[in-house]
């Protein structure tokens, strides 16, 4: 443990550190080695008695410090006074016998208890004592020993500076590591909270997605039923009304057959709508032919002239795109039959590069698109339903109309080719 480490380590009751037992051990080693070498180094009787008195003083000094209270601050005047007294005792003892330098070594390990501005001076004082011991004792005798003392002192001071610097860097790394660990702990805590929140959010999103899926499926079935059963039933009612007013049996039989055909067609559409399959008209043919038949059958049923045109190079479209455009055409024709009182209708399917456009035009009474009434329970899905269908496949629907000026409905959707 270096002096800087000691400086950063607060004293705690019951915690035995080198600062607690080290000085006692070093003092004991110094006493034993000095007693054995007293005759060799030439200590006089007076010097021996002075050394004994100083050793007793050192024991009392260490005992007083050992009884320090738990609230004793790790740095402060009391520690500075203790360090200086210990150094003075060690210096004098080392002057009397170089082997007492063992006790002086404690200054290297306990300088960290000094106020920060006194740490380096305290270490230099200890280095002076150690340098005197290393040249054979104080004071140096002769120029050679004085030169040696200066060299040894410089070496000790240099080592003190180097090791102090290393200790400070190590302590700085330790502080940075502690800060990094603390930051990682905070980050881990925040991450765990985020994961918990994400899990809760994911569960909530799953519930919302399930609810949205149910709602979307309900809308799909409602639209499909409207486009199949509702339109079919409307056509059947219209045919039966003609039958009720038919002047002869042949005309009645013709309209009854049409009503039966519409009923069978509607039943097939209903079954396929429930299973989310393509409309009946798309079962065995592509969209252009299905639209051609739909327009022709609508014209025959209503007695309105209906023309169908294809522009561009026809391509096999994705089933969902074909079904959407066919349903929009059926709804548009149904609206024309119910509201427009038109004498002519034109339906155009245009293949335009990466888009497909379906345009329905009539010469009917027209209306104000801004003043379209809200859908009622008895009404159909109308423009909102067609627009929702187009937007469901990333398309759009526009309506142009004015009272007395007919109506034009245009649906534009991406050209997505058939998977197969």
């Amino acid at each position: 443990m270096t002096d800087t480490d000691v400086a950063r380590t607060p004293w705690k009751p019951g915690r035995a550190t080198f600062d607690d037992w080290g000085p006692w051990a070093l003092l004991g080693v110094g006493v034993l080695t000095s007693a054995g070498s007293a005759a060799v180094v030439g200590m006089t009787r007076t010097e021996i008695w002075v050394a004994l008195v100083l050793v007793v003083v050192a024991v009392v000094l260490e005992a007083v410090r050992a009884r320090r209270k738990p609230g004793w601050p790790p740095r402060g005047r009391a520690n500075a006074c203790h360090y200086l007294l210990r150094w003075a005792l060690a210096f004098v003892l080392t002057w009397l016998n170089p082997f007492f330098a063992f006790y002086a070594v404690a200054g290297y390990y306990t300088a960290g208890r000094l106020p920060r501005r006194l740490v380096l001076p305290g270490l230099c004082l200890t280095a002076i004592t150690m340098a005197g011991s290393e040249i054979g004792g104080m004071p140096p005798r002769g120029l050679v020993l004085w030169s040696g003392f200066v060299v040894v002192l410089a070496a000790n001071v240099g080592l003190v500076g180097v090791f102090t610097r290393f200790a400070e860097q190590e302590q700085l790394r330790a502080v940075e590591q502690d800060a990094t660990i603390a930051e990682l702990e905070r980050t881990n805590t925040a991450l765990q909270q985020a994961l918990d929140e994400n899990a809760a959010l994911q569960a909530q999103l799953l519930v919302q997605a399930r609810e949205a899926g149910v709602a979307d499926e309900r809308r799909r079935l409602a639209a499909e039923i409207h486009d199949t059963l509702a339109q079919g039933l409307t056509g059947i009612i219209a045919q039966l009304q003609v039958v009720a007013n038919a002047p002869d049996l042949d005309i009645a039989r013709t309209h009854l057959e049409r009503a039966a055909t519409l009923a069978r067609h509607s039943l097939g559409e209903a079954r396929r709508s429930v299973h989310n399959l393509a409309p009946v008209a798309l079962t065995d043919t592509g969209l252009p032919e299905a639209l051609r038949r739909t327009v022709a059958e609508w014209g025959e049923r209503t007695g309105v002239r209906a023309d169908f045109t294809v522009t561009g190079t026809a391509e096999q479209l994705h089933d969902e795109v074909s079904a959407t455009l066919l349903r929009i055409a059926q709804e548009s024709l149904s609206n024309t039959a119910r509201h427009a009182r038109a004498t002519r209708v034109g339906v155009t399917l245009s293949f335009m590069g990466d888009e497909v456009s379906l345009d329905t035009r009539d010469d009917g009474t027209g209306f104000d698109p801004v003043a379209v009434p809200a859908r009622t329970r008895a009404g159909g899905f109308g423009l909102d339903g067609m627009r929702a269908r187009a937007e469901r496949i990333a398309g759009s629907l526009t309506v142009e109309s004015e009272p007395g000026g007919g109506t034009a409905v245009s649906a534009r959707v991406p050209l997505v080719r058939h998977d197969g």
Side-chain angles (χ1 to χ4, degrees):
M1 178 180 289
T2 65
D3 62 282
T4 308
D5 296 327
V6 174
R8 283 3 181 236
T9 306
W11 180 85
K12 294 182 179 180
R15 178 183 176 184
T17 64
F18 183 84
D19 194 22
D20 297 320
W21 57 265
W24 292 97
L26 293 173
L27 179 60
V29 173
V31 170
L32 293 176
T33 54
S34 297
S37 62
V40 177
V41 299
M43 291 182 67
T44 64
R45 184 177 297 275
T46 301
E47 290 175 340
I48 293 175
W49 279 106
V50 172
L52 287 174
V53 173
L54 293 178
V55 168
V56 172
V57 174
V59 170
V60 173
L61 179 64
E62 299 301 334
V64 170
R65 187 174 187 279
R67 294 174 61 84
R68 66 191 184 279
K69 297 180 180 180
W72 194 330
R75 297 177 184 272
R77 294 181 179 179
N79 279 313
C81 292
H82 176 269
Y83 184 89
L84 292 175
L85 288 174
R86 178 194 285 165
W87 172 81
L89 290 171
F91 180 81
V92 175
L93 287 170
T94 303
W95 189 292
L96 298 174
N97 189 318
F99 285 95
F100 274 113
F102 281 106
Y103 181 50
V105 171
Y108 282 144
Y109 296 94
T110 59
R113 298 295 181 182
L114 293 170
R116 296 183 185 278
R117 66 181 184 278
L118 298 179
V119 171
L120 188 58
L123 291 172
C124 290
L125 290 176
T126 300
I128 292 173
T129 304
M130 297 304 298
S133 171
E134 290 164 1
I135 64 169
M138 294 288 285
R141 295 176 176 82
L143 181 60
V144 175
L145 289 179
W146 271 107
S147 299
F149 173 77
V150 173
V151 173
V152 172
L153 177 60
N156 277 273
V157 172
L159 290 174
V160 165
V162 170
F163 286 115
T164 300
R165 179 60 176 172
F166 286 162
E168 290 176 350
Q169 292 178 348
E170 185 65 25
Q171 183 63 26
L172 180 60
R173 283 193 292 270
V175 171
E176 291 176 350
Q177 288 176 354
D178 290 342
T180 301
I181 292 173
E183 182 64 26
L184 287 175
E185 290 177 350
R186 289 191 294 270
T187 302
N188 288 335
T189 301
L191 179 60
Q192 186 60 46
Q193 292 176 350
L195 290 175
D196 294 340
E197 293 175 358
N198 184 61
L201 179 60
Q202 186 175 10
Q204 182 179 358
L205 289 176
L206 287 175
V207 173
Q208 293 177 351
R210 189 179 299 111
E211 293 175 350
V214 171
D216 186 69
E217 185 64 13
R218 288 175 178 173
R219 287 192 296 270
R220 184 191 70 80
L221 288 175
E224 292 293 336
I225 291 173
H226 168 264
D227 292 342
T228 56
L229 293 180
Q231 292 185 17
L233 291 174
T234 301
I236 292 172
I237 291 172
Q239 297 301 322
L240 293 178
Q241 287 176 343
V242 173
V243 170
N245 300 319
D248 56 56
L249 187 60
D250 291 336
I251 295 176
R253 184 179 295 108
T254 299
H255 287 283
L256 282 175
E257 290 177 355
R258 290 180 180 177
T261 301
L262 282 173
R264 287 190 293 270
H265 178 82
S266 298
L267 179 60
E269 287 283 9
R271 289 172 176 171
R272 285 164 175 77
S273 296
V274 170
H275 294 285
N276 196 24
L277 298 176
V280 173
L282 294 173
T283 303
D284 301 318
T285 187
L287 179 63
E289 185 60 28
L291 285 173
R292 191 183 308 278
R293 292 179 183 176
T294 298
V295 172
E297 292 174 358
W298 180 87
E300 182 181 353
R301 186 169 63 251
T302 61
V304 178
R305 177 181 174 181
D307 300 320
F308 174 71
T309 306
V310 178
T311 63
T313 302
E315 299 190 44
Q316 188 70 19
L317 299 176
H318 189 277
D319 292 344
E320 185 67 20
V321 175
S322 297
T324 298
L325 291 177
L326 180 59
R327 293 304 190 200
I328 291 175
Q330 291 172 337
E331 176 66 14
S332 181
L333 291 172
S334 178
N335 290 339
T336 300
R338 289 198 302 269
H339 309 296
R341 296 195 296 273
T343 60
R344 184 174 181 179
V345 173
V347 178
T348 303
L349 179 65
S350 303
F351 292 86
M352 304 177 297
D354 58 351
E355 281 188 335
V356 183
S357 175
L358 176 68
D359 299 291
T360 304
R361 302 172 305 281
D362 66 62
D363 61 354
T365 57
F367 63 96
D368 183 1
V370 179
V372 175
R375 182 173 65 89
T376 63
R377 185 175 297 272
F381 278 73
L383 298 177
D384 290 340
M386 289 189 288
R387 184 172 289 108
R389 285 184 179 277
E391 292 175 351
R392 192 176 298 138
I393 58 172
S396 62
L397 185 133
T398 58
V399 179
E400 296 180 1
S401 182
E402 61 181 9
T407 302
V409 178
S410 177
R412 299 171 69 93
V413 300
L415 194 157
V416 182
R417 295 172 176 82
H418 183 65
D419 293 338

